[in-house]
Amino acid sequence: MWSCLAHNETDADAASSDQRLCQDFGLILSVFSLLYLMVCFPVGLCYNALLVVVNLSNKVSMTMPDVYFVNMAIAGLVLNLVAPAELLGPGFTRWPLWEYNNEVHITLLILFNVSSLVVMYSTTLLSLDYYIERALPRTYMSSVYNTKHVCGFIWGGAVLTSFSSLLFYVCNHVSARIVECSKMQNKEAADAIMMFIGYVVPAVAVLYAFALILRVRKESTPLDQDSAARLDPSIHRLLLASVCVQFALWTPYYVTLLAHTVMGGAPPPGGNAGHGGGNRRGFTTYYFLRCVSELLALSSSFAMPLMYRQMNKNFSHKLQRLLRRLRLCGDRSCPHERSTVQQVVT
């Protein structure tokens, strides 16, 4: 909870300075949260839903990148559901609209962790499949069929990983009643798991994929002349830009997890847990940066569909096709229904 408590300090000037700093940070976070909810939240929710509906209504024309972006859009919708509960709760605003207990907090944490893992691993595998598509365009290793099955494994692995780290969070609250949890009440261990699995492994894989992509670009092969087997150049730019933007938005969040693990936890902002004024100010700044980094991570659900909308030329054609189909279905019967009736009559 973001709260600014009064401190019993011999140095009144230092105490008032810390109090003003904490209040200013709380006010800044409140403004950022409201701006996100008024602008980024509705736009991200609309475009993520539109991305999913448009692509799923045109399954035949979906490509390998489309499947990954649909996967990330579904994760973005989950983040959109988490955002209002998180940003209007006690962790971000000085005047929260509601308070929630540990069970709700853990549920939101599970949804956030699952979505973050799905986003990071979808981005990672997208970069690896992009390399496969450039190096071996006719092998169909990065096909739509394979990608759909891979995305299913991504969601399953994200859920399993989140529940394994969830044990540390749960035991942090019930360890007084369950003896088995006495050795698992370290919340920093859960953050370390998420840091390693959710960021370090994908980052290494993306760097390896980029190194392979650069090597393929330098090597001119006969396959480079085969434009029919390759994706549109705009899709290449979209893939590279999406990978870079995703890691740029999620890196600050995982850096704060690393800092929390290294510091071994921190008292609430403004709280007094035996720390001096300098340490207390440092912890207040740390919590502010952690909240800002979480806000940046949530904004990935707003940035990705917009990038997909602007850089994918096929999306506008699919959207127009869907709108025409909906207008035709606005009549008494849809085209496929009319053809069925005609076949029965004949």
Side-chain angles (χ1 to χ4, degrees):
M1 176 185 297
W2 188 276
S3 60
C4 300
L5 306 177
H7 310 292
N8 295 324
E9 294 263 357
T10 55
D11 191 349
D13 293 336
S16 60
S17 177
D18 293 340
Q19 188 77 4
R20 286 195 300 270
L21 179 65
C22 185
Q23 291 176 351
D24 291 341
F25 280 165
L27 182 60
I28 293 172
L29 283 176
S30 299
V31 173
F32 283 173
S33 301
L34 293 177
L35 287 177
Y36 177 89
L37 292 172
M38 289 188 297
V39 179
C40 300
F41 171 73
V43 174
L45 184 64
C46 176
Y47 272 96
N48 278 310
L50 196 62
L51 194 157
V52 174
V53 172
V54 169
N55 281 285
L56 293 184
S57 63
N58 296 273
K59 293 182 179 180
V60 178
S61 60
M62 285 181 65
T63 61
M64 174 270 294
D66 293 331
V67 178
Y68 280 118
F69 277 99
V70 168
N71 206 47
M72 287 187 282
I74 295 174
L77 289 174
V78 177
L79 290 176
N80 285 130
L81 295 177
V82 172
E86 184 70 18
L87 299 183
L88 294 178
F92 276 79
T93 57
R94 289 183 59 193
W95 305 281
L97 295 183
W98 50 68
E99 302 280 343
Y100 45 74
N101 53 23
N102 291 331
E103 288 75 14
V104 176
H105 173 72
I106 291 174
T107 302
L108 295 175
L109 186 64
I110 292 175
L111 295 176
F112 183 84
N113 287 342
V114 170
S115 300
S116 66
L117 290 173
V118 170
V119 168
M120 296 303 289
Y121 276 92
S122 296
T123 305
T124 302
L125 294 176
L126 178 63
S127 62
L128 291 172
D129 279 352
Y130 171 62
Y131 161 72
I132 295 174
E133 189 276 334
R134 286 190 61 89
L136 304 170
R138 290 193 180 276
T139 59
Y140 302 103
M141 293 179 63
S142 57
S143 63
V144 174
Y145 178 80
N146 292 337
T147 304
K148 290 180 179 179
H149 287 79
V150 168
C151 289
F153 283 109
I154 290 176
W155 281 97
V159 172
L160 290 176
T161 303
S162 297
F163 274 99
S164 64
S165 62
L166 172 66
L167 292 176
F168 290 92
Y169 292 104
V170 173
C171 288
N172 190 41
H173 296 286
V174 301
S175 58
R177 288 174 288 176
I178 301 179
V179 179
E180 289 79 4
C181 285
S182 60
K183 298 181 180 179
M184 298 178 60
Q185 56 181 339
N186 192 353
K187 181 178 179 296
E188 290 73 39
D191 291 339
I193 291 176
M194 288 301 301
M195 174 66 189
F196 179 76
I197 298 178
Y199 184 79
V200 175
V201 174
V204 172
V206 166
L207 292 176
Y208 178 68
F210 276 1
L212 294 176
I213 291 171
L214 292 176
R215 183 185 302 175
V216 169
R217 285 185 172 183
K218 292 179 181 179
E219 297 175 358
S220 178
T221 65
L223 291 177
D224 292 332
Q225 308 300 326
D226 188 6
S227 59
R230 294 190 175 277
L231 296 173
D232 187 84
S234 63
I235 300 298
H236 294 172
R237 293 191 294 270
L238 172 63
L239 300 186
L240 294 177
S242 62
V243 172
C244 295
V245 169
Q246 287 283 29
F247 272 84
L249 293 176
W250 282 93
T251 296
Y253 172 74
Y254 283 103
V255 169
T256 57
L257 287 187
L258 177 62
H260 185 256
T261 303
V262 172
M263 290 190 302
N272 190 357
H275 297 274
N279 287 337
R280 183 168 50 251
R281 176 172 295 190
F283 282 126
T284 301
T285 304
Y286 161 75
Y287 268 91
F288 171 75
L289 294 177
R290 180 160 184 169
C291 292
V292 172
S293 66
E294 187 174 345
L295 192 60
L296 287 176
L298 291 172
S299 65
S300 65
S301 63
F302 161 78
M304 281 302 103
L306 288 182
M307 291 179 57
Y308 183 85
R309 169 67 179 84
Q310 294 297 325
M311 302 181 70
N312 190 351
K313 297 179 180 179
N314 296 326
F315 181 78
S316 59
H317 299 298
K318 292 181 180 180
L319 179 59
Q320 293 173 3
R321 193 182 313 149
L322 177 61
L323 293 177
R324 285 197 299 268
R325 190 184 309 168
L326 292 176
R327 282 196 294 267
L328 291 175
C329 289
D331 300 334
R332 292 185 178 180
S333 59
C334 295
H336 68 277
E337 295 175 350
R338 293 174 181 174
S339 61
T340 304
V341 172
Q342 292 176 357
Q343 291 176 2
V344 172
V345 172
T346 58

